[in-house]
Amino acid sequence: MQGKPLTSTAKAPKFRLPGKLGRYSEMAGDFAWSLLADMLIIISQTASFFLLLRELDIEVYGGYVGLYGVIGPLGALSWSGLALLVMQLIVRHEADPDKVGRSTMTLAVGQAIIAGIIGYFICTAVIDTVEVRVIVALLIVDLFLNPMIMITAALRQAIISFPAAAQVRIMLVAIRTLGLVGLWITGQLTLVALTTVWIVTLSLYFAYCLVVLWPRMGLTPRFGPVSRDSFKTNMSLSLPLSSSNLQKDGDKAVLNAYSFEADAGLYGAAFRLIFMAQMPIQSLNNALFHRFLSNDEDDTGQHVRRSYRFSIVSLGLSVAFAALIFVCAPILAQDWLLGDKFAPAIPILRWLLIFLPLTALSRAPLNGLLGLNAMGIRAFIVVSAAAVSMVLYLVLIPSMSWRGAVWGTVIGELYLAGIGWWALMRWEKKADAAVAAKGADDSESAAEAAEPAGQAAR
């Protein structure tokens, strides 16, 4: 397939409900698929959390979550922006999908190699409780195999539909979860065995994506040239994602670096529960994200309206989940769940609950800035928020342990929400002024064209 992508407006004709009812129906369908995929992620994360926390010493579990304080930001920097780049180029700019796919593959592999080398040296220097072979295996899984599969999902969303992308994500989660549960059932669950199984099974699925799914989309699974603009756009999208991951997970790595491995395990366990509580909100964001990218050149205030509506819904959901977790937190320490090992993490969990409504407020304006194509200021906002958190982690954790991590996380998120909404309002005003000026010019041109016609009629 060449030329214009197969978006929802280019598909084969099918029955659609009229007007707003049809749009809401399509949005509901996308949200249902996103919710299904993210429900499976919740199940996977829950299984991973419960089984690994039960099987591993708390210090080893602390090292494991600390690894993602390094791998997460590197992964976002090396590939997460590529998924957004695919959407930006194909959906917004109507670029040739085959060229986008080939250039994306080049960027993904090159960046994975660089990120893997950097990650190896940082992880082995910071993490003492996890074997080196496990570190190497996780770098392969999370910096190469997962990224290529997720880029396939992004291509399917841009070219076919959101449900088509959700199917790829669902299979990825299923493979990881079945490997984990299978090892637990057979009594072989160790980090070495788990990462080995993931490498083998995800490699097979990655091969299926390239050999079967890419050709079905009309794409050629080979390397292609990367334009300078694509590289710059990728970095402007990747840097905020990397910074966001650093803000969320950098505290676990810092806790390990200062030899708070046990606290890192408890803090990581509490944060994992917060992450799972965020999944319904993330599902909503995933389902609606591509709608933030659309831009009506004759409309004013559109991006603020979308962001405001999204923030109201997500804020309500997050407050409800936070209240439920606060009340039910002691149940998690029961023997039939996590047991006494988790009991010291309950105060940490309750302190972290404020993170939920803050993320609901901070994510919406960042999506709105993407719709305004204000990627430069968006990148600056997220990077500066991560810098605020990291400085606080480095200053507070040595003397306060997990409490310093909580303060750094909450203050960084407050900063992100405040400056994000300020920037969205300001850039929307600029866009609205341009629309108004364009309307005035069009009116003036129409009047000038009508004047000779009137004279001729007279």
Side-chain angles (χ1 to χ4, degrees):
M1 181 180 68
Q2 300 292 332
K4 189 174 181 177
L6 184 61
T7 60
S8 59
T9 58
K11 293 179 184 177
K14 63 178 182 180
F15 173 77
R16 288 185 183 276
L17 294 170
K20 289 186 177 180
L21 186 60
R23 291 198 298 274
Y24 288 135
S25 175
E26 184 180 354
M27 288 169 59
D30 288 351
F31 178 60
W33 272 102
S34 179
L35 188 61
L36 175 60
D38 289 330
M39 282 178 62
L40 291 176
I41 292 176
I42 291 174
I43 294 171
S44 174
Q45 293 286 350
T46 303
S48 172
F49 172 57
F50 276 76
L51 298 181
L52 289 177
L53 191 61
R54 282 180 171 274
E55 297 295 325
L56 303 178
D57 293 336
I58 195 66
E59 291 82 5
V60 176
Y61 185 78
Y64 176 74
V65 297
L67 283 173
Y68 283 95
V70 179
I71 295 176
L74 284 174
L77 186 62
S78 64
W79 73 268
S80 292
L82 291 177
L84 294 179
L85 178 66
V86 165
M87 299 291 296
Q88 192 87 355
L89 292 178
I90 297 178
V91 175
R92 186 182 180 95
H93 300 295
E94 298 188 351
D96 179 1
D98 191 48
K99 290 182 179 179
V100 172
R102 287 187 279 122
S103 64
T104 301
M105 180 179 288
T106 303
L107 280 169
V109 173
Q111 292 176 171
I113 293 171
I114 296 172
I117 294 172
I118 296 172
Y120 173 81
F121 286 108
I122 296 177
C123 288
T124 52
V126 172
I127 308 298
D128 297 324
T129 57
V130 178
E131 295 181 58
V132 172
R133 54 181 170 169
V134 171
I135 293 174
V136 172
L138 285 174
L139 289 171
I140 294 171
V141 167
D142 288 295
L143 296 183
F144 178 70
L145 294 174
N146 271 15
M148 291 305 303
I149 294 168
M150 290 301 290
I151 287 169
T152 300
L155 287 164
R156 282 170 68 85
Q157 182 172 349
I159 297 171
I160 304 175
S161 66
F162 181 82
Q167 292 162 13
V168 175
R169 293 172 55 211
I170 287 170
M171 183 59 68
L172 172 61
V173 174
I175 289 171
R176 295 190 67 145
T177 305
L178 289 174
L180 173 74
V181 175
L183 288 172
W184 177 73
I185 291 174
T186 58
Q188 304 296 318
L189 182 56
T190 65
L191 289 181
V192 173
L194 180 62
T195 51
T196 301
V197 168
W198 279 349
I199 286 178
V200 173
T201 54
L202 291 177
S203 294
L204 292 174
Y205 186 51
F206 169 53
Y208 171 80
C209 289
L210 291 185
V211 174
V212 178
L213 297 185
W214 280 52
R216 284 182 183 174
M217 293 184 285
L219 306 180
T220 308
R222 66 167 186 257
F223 298 116
V226 179
S227 69
R228 183 176 180 181
D229 287 342
S230 293
F231 180 78
K232 289 173 62 178
T233 303
N234 170 50
M235 293 307 298
S236 67
L237 292 169
S238 297
L239 194 57
L241 289 169
S242 177
S243 300
S244 179
N245 279 347
L246 186 64
Q247 182 185 9
K248 288 189 300 183
D249 294 328
D251 44 9
K252 290 91 170 173
V254 175
L255 283 166
N256 276 272
Y258 284 105
S259 300
F260 292 115
E261 291 89 354
D263 284 354
L266 295 169
Y267 183 83
F271 209 94
R272 183 58 59 90
L273 289 169
I274 296 295
F275 173 79
M276 288 189 284
Q278 274 187 296
M279 293 309 299
I281 302 167
Q282 187 61 42
S283 297
L284 186 65
N285 185 73
N286 291 341
L288 301 181
F289 173 75
H290 60 286
R291 290 176 171 82
F292 281 94
L293 298 178
S294 62
N295 181 62
D296 185 347
E297 294 182 355
D298 297 321
D299 193 9
T300 58
Q302 56 187 305
H303 302 287
V304 170
R305 285 197 304 273
R306 290 191 194 114
S307 300
Y308 175 75
R309 291 168 184 167
F310 177 79
S311 66
I312 291 297
V313 175
S314 57
L315 181 61
L317 287 171
S318 64
V319 170
F321 284 124
L324 180 64
I325 294 172
F326 186 89
V327 173
C328 298
I331 298 175
L332 296 168
Q334 299 296 315
D335 290 337
W336 57 279
L337 282 175
L338 295 174
D340 292 339
K341 184 186 291 187
F342 183 76
I346 291 175
I348 304 175
L349 175 63
R350 283 176 162 168
W351 272 103
L352 281 171
L353 287 174
I354 193 174
F355 182 73
L356 284 174
L358 287 177
T359 55
L361 292 174
S362 64
R363 295 301 177 265
L366 296 180
N367 287 344
L369 287 170
L370 273 180
L372 285 164
N373 207 31
M375 290 183 290
I377 185 63
R378 182 180 183 273
F380 170 79
I381 289 170
V382 180
V383 171
S384 62
V388 168
S389 289
M390 283 303 299
V391 169
L392 291 171
Y393 296 153
L394 293 170
V395 171
L396 299 178
I397 284 177
S399 60
M400 300 176 65
S401 187
W402 64 265
R403 292 176 180 82
V406 171
W407 278 111
T409 299
V410 170
I411 293 173
E413 203 66 28
L414 276 170
Y415 168 86
L416 183 63
I419 196 172
W421 279 104
W422 170 82
L424 177 62
M425 296 288 212
R426 178 164 182 172
W427 261 254
E428 182 71 271
K429 285 182 179 179
K430 290 182 179 180
D432 292 351
V435 171
K438 178 176 177 293
D441 290 342
D442 291 343
S443 299
E444 185 177 343
S445 299
E448 291 175 353
E451 186 175 347
Q455 292 174 352
R458 288 194 295 271

